[in-house]
Amino acid sequence: MDDDQADGGSEGTRNEITGGTFYAPVTLARDVTMQVTGPAPQALAGLPAGPAGFVGRTDSLGEVLGFLGPAGEGLPGVVVSAMAGMAGVGKTAGPDLLQPGPATPNRRALPDAATTAVPDGLGRLPRPPAAVFLGRGQVLTRLHRTLTRTQKTGSVVITQAAVYGLGGIGKSELALQYAARHRDKYTLVWWSEADNPTQIQASLAELARTVCVGADSVAAAQASVEEAAAWALVWLAAHPGWLLIFDNVEDAEDLHPYLGRLSGGRVLITSRRDTGWQDVGCTPISLEVLEPEAAQQLLAKLIGIRPTTEDGEEPAARELARLAEELGFLPLALRQAGAFIARTPGVTVTDYRRLLHQAPDGEEVLARVWALTRQRIAERDALAPRLLALLACYAPDQLPVGVLHHLPEVEPVRVGKALALLASYSMITISNDRDAVSVHRLVQAVTLADLPDQQRRTVREEAAGLLAAALPEDPTVIGTWARYERLLPHARTALAPESDAMNQMIDYLKASGAYATAMTVQHHRYRALLDRDGPHHLRTLIAQAELAYYTAMVGDVVGARDQFAALVPIRERVSGAEHPDTLAVRANLARWSGEAGDAAGARDQLAELVPIRERVSGAEHPDTLAVRAHLIWWSGEAGDVVGARDQSAALLPIRERVSGAEHPDTLTDRANLAYWSGRAGDVVGARDQSAALLSIRERVLGAEHPETLADRAHLARWSGEAGDAAGARDQLAALLPIRERVSGTEHPDTLAVRAHLARWSGEAGDAAGARDQLAALLPIRERVSGAEHPDTLTARAHLAYWTRRCEDGNAGSSNENQ
């Protein structure tokens, strides 16, 4: 079967949009053969010599586009990428419509998950378990039985328990006590703060980096959050016997992407929610308030008194019982009260009860407890309540203490003393390494609710400023990513979506390849700017373009096309028809129209755009070269394969002169030239060019960068075309799990690799295997790309082809037997 008929899909990355310094990845895309009659557009015929392909960065768009918006703000344009891909595996690259910047630092591949051993002593718990822990013996026993039971059918695949109950009921402490008591029974015990999907993913990424310390810590540090988290899931599947704890899950749906991929271990979940757990295969365990006697004993131990005497009950015991009842037998309130009494000389249980009763009527008991505690703390250190108010503005878990060191005119030693005081009253928890601090969510809520409106706003502003000051300067530097990752949940809580600091955080997500999270955060940013500045403000339009870009990067090319189509007339009206930003949006519309299946339409749009871009930016401006490269690509996709090859060869030397021989844009141009050479019939030359390019790409971008994976797919394709079908099959089989981990199992790039693996499996002699692989792929392709998308139609045709080959083979065997 001719590979030009192969199923396609974007196998690779895509170029970026908008401002700031960012790396624009390449795109491998489907190679869909479309017969389009008529000559190539006139604009293509006059293309000067130079490279094809496109990857790039844009630095300040003000510099790139020669335009500064209000207050000197650079206005980003939009990047598109033309793809040069393998038939079905996808395009190699796309031109960047913005000025290229420096090459991305070398990135190394993560080690093989299956063979990376479990490091000795590996594990993570947020703090030591409480020394005083009473009244939970029965539920601990039930929890242990639930997690250690075996299925009647044999070994346990995975056992899951979800402990739910009120805030402050002691769910996290129960999980911590269980983990500490049974950690020697597990190969690994790992604690994850799990308030939201971002925290879950970040914790799994941290697991990957911790496991890789002895194997390849550099590669682990360079991997994006999404890549590292996916690696962790593969590693867990290969190393059974672990316990994962997801603490304070707000929605069972947040764990769906992970629970189905975990096997060979145990999962313990804590949550305030009581529904949805059986739907995800968990055994729900309800945690109630303490029994009266246990609550009384807990208070007595915390305070350091005996609740009873040998002669029976005494006044102190009665006072303890009354206080426990007044605190609702809630463990968090009991601990707060016990710490207060124990730390305050001369205060008895009776005195504390009297203080509680003096609080304003109508206040919840917890609010009264914490009001007393905050008052006492303030008397001892005025900085402590200020810190507590600031901590209430961040995510509850694991704020790096260094953030608080940015307080003006406050020495770090003073901060440390104030935090120690708060911890001694059980208001906060300090991590084992003394590097991070956590606050119970109820403490945060009550602390903020107790502040007057203006003071609350002032505290929130101060907390946001401290976090902004703690962000590393350059989010594109790989060495800063670990710190950005730690600060991400706090940024999403404390920073305004429209703030410059949040934009800096999004730049980190973009640079590290965490596109799904970037899209979520960017959506919030766009909505905030829309509400604040209106739909036609330049900042809103920039954010809208960025959101469209991230929509494409997570695989929704139709959605991206429609968003850019809606943006074009607004840009024309606001900025002018020939403003560089408007032209960039038009280029993106063309690119994603082609990705959505309209190659001829993309070609025609770009043919109209080239002369305008030449006039506005100059013939050799990187933006102009990018548009020309896209025109080459989509002209080839629309049927002019030889013209695309020749014009790619003409573009390469220009790109080398403008951007440098090893700039990512230049490397993508080389990939495109190899691709179109192969499509024009020189498959051996395409194979050799692809092999030479792959080693450079691995050195410049890293072995698991999406563009590098795209080059591997191309090399496999041209190796097969040159006669080594089995070699192509084996290369693609090795590539598929990496692509699934990097891009996701249903990303168009991943589906493209699956399509090619099916094709070369068939070409290597396994027609039935090719048929079955395509039968499994087709419904996914229909759901992801649409029933009438060219990739879907090609997959359907391939399935019919290999089905027919199987039937022909069976018929032949039957005739021979006769």
Side-chain angles (χ1 to χ4, degrees), residues 184-415:
D184 60 336
K185 298 179 175 63
Y186 296 100
T187 57
L188 160 75
V189 176
W190 192 261
W191 186 284
S192 298
E193 288 82 22
D195 294 58
N196 55 60
T198 299
Q199 284 190 311
I200 296 170
Q201 189 177 64
S203 178
L204 290 171
E206 182 61 25
L207 170 60
R209 295 190 174 101
T210 304
V211 170
C212 289
V213 165
D216 195 334
S217 58
V218 174
Q222 292 176 348
S224 71
V225 176
E226 292 169 351
E227 292 168 352
W231 188 94
L233 294 177
V234 176
W235 184 86
L236 288 167
H239 298 83
W242 40 261
L243 171 66
L244 289 185
I245 302 166
F246 294 104
D247 185 39
N248 200 53
V249 176
E250 287 295 320
D251 191 337
E253 293 288 334
D254 293 344
L255 290 177
H256 274 183
Y258 305 103
L259 295 183
R261 298 176 62 186
L262 289 170
S263 62
R266 272 52 173 174
V267 172
L268 173 56
I269 300 161
T270 72
S271 176
R272 286 178 290 184
R273 304 287 296 276
D274 63 353
T275 60
W277 300 114
Q278 290 179 322
D279 295 339
V280 294
C282 293
T283 300
I285 298 174
S286 175
L287 191 62
E288 306 297 336
V289 296
L290 290 175
E291 293 294 327
E293 183 178 354
Q296 183 179 343
Q297 291 175 351
L298 177 60
L299 273 175
K301 282 188 172 291
L302 290 170
I303 298 169
I305 62 176
R306 296 182 62 184
T308 60
T309 67
E310 293 180 358
D311 298 330
E313 211 174 61
E314 62 180 18
R318 290 195 296 271
E319 288 294 288
L320 281 175
R322 290 167 182 166
L323 177 57
E325 183 178 5
E326 289 168 349
L327 296 177
F329 309 113
L330 190 68
L332 182 61
L334 294 167
R335 288 187 178 278
Q336 296 281 347
F340 183 100
I341 298 169
R343 294 280 301 174
T344 308
V347 173
T348 65
V349 175
T350 303
D351 295 332
Y352 189 83
R353 289 186 62 225
R354 184 171 60 253
L355 291 172
L356 274 183
H357 295 158
Q358 291 173 355
D361 292 337
E363 281 194 0
E364 293 290 337
V365 64
L366 284 177
R368 285 181 278 166
V369 169
W370 289 321
L372 290 175
T373 303
R374 288 199 303 270
Q375 180 180 350
R376 177 59 181 164
I377 289 172
E379 293 171 357
R380 300 189 59 180
D381 188 338
L383 178 61
R386 180 185 176 192
L387 293 183
L388 184 62
L390 290 169
L391 291 171
C393 299
Y394 299 114
D397 299 305
Q398 300 293 310
L399 176 79
V401 172
V403 172
L404 301 174
H405 291 167
H406 290 276
L407 277 168
E409 301 180 2
V410 179
E411 294 295 324
V413 173
R414 275 201 67 199
V415 172

Side-chain angles (χ1 to χ4, degrees), residues 458-594:
T458 300
V459 169
R460 288 188 185 278
E461 290 172 1
E462 185 177 24
L466 294 176
L467 191 65
L471 294 178
E473 183 174 347
D474 188 352
T476 67
V477 175
I478 291 176
T480 68
W481 290 356
R483 184 158 179 80
Y484 270 104
E485 184 180 331
R486 287 189 72 190
L487 294 175
L488 178 59
H490 306 288
R492 296 185 68 175
T493 303
L495 296 180
E498 68 274 19
S499 65
D500 291 340
M502 183 60 82
N503 196 48
Q504 188 175 340
M505 183 61 72
I506 295 173
D507 285 343
Y508 146 69
L509 294 169
K510 178 191 301 180
S512 65
Y515 297 120
T517 303
M519 184 180 73
T520 300
V521 179
Q522 182 62 34
H523 175 76
H524 294 310
R525 178 175 176 81
Y526 167 64
R527 298 301 307 180
L529 288 169
L530 183 65
D531 293 340
R532 189 189 73 180
D533 298 333
H536 296 154
H537 193 283
L538 294 176
R539 281 189 292 266
T540 307
L541 298 178
I542 292 167
Q544 188 175 355
E546 289 177 329
L547 180 58
Y549 165 72
Y550 290 123
T551 300
M553 290 303 292
V554 299
D556 184 6
V557 296
V558 174
R561 176 201 64 192
D562 295 344
Q563 291 180 50
F564 280 116
L567 186 57
V568 167
I570 301 174
R571 260 299 181 185
E572 290 178 333
R573 184 168 64 254
V574 172
S575 304
E578 294 194 358
H579 190 280
D581 290 351
T582 306
L583 301 183
V585 174
R586 287 183 58 184
N588 267 293
L589 173 59
R591 180 263 176 95
W592 298 113
S593 296

Side-chain angles (χ1 to χ4, degrees), residues 762-786:
E763 296 288 353
D766 186 7
R771 175 199 62 198
D772 295 344
Q773 291 179 56
L774 288 163
L777 175 62
L778 181 58
I780 302 174
R781 178 61 87 182
E782 289 175 332
R783 184 175 69 254
V784 171
S785 303

Side-chain angles (χ1 to χ4, degrees), residues 715-766:
L715 177 58
R717 180 261 174 95
W718 297 120
S719 297
E721 290 288 343
D724 186 7
R729 175 202 62 199
D730 295 343
Q731 291 178 56
L732 290 163
L735 175 60
L736 180 58
I738 303 174
R739 175 54 83 182
E740 289 179 328
R741 174 162 50 80
V742 170
S743 301
T745 56
E746 293 193 359
H747 192 282
D749 296 352
T750 307
L751 302 184
V753 174
R754 287 184 59 178
H756 276 272
L757 176 58
R759 181 267 170 105
W760 290 110
S761 296
E763 296 288 353
D766 186 7

Side-chain angles (χ1 to χ4, degrees), residues 62-94:
E63 297 176 10
V64 173
L65 304 176
F67 178 86
L68 288 178
E73 179 179 358
L75 293 182
V78 179
V79 182
V80 295
S81 77
M83 333 259 215
M86 10 191 334
V89 173
K91 310 171 180 174
T92 62

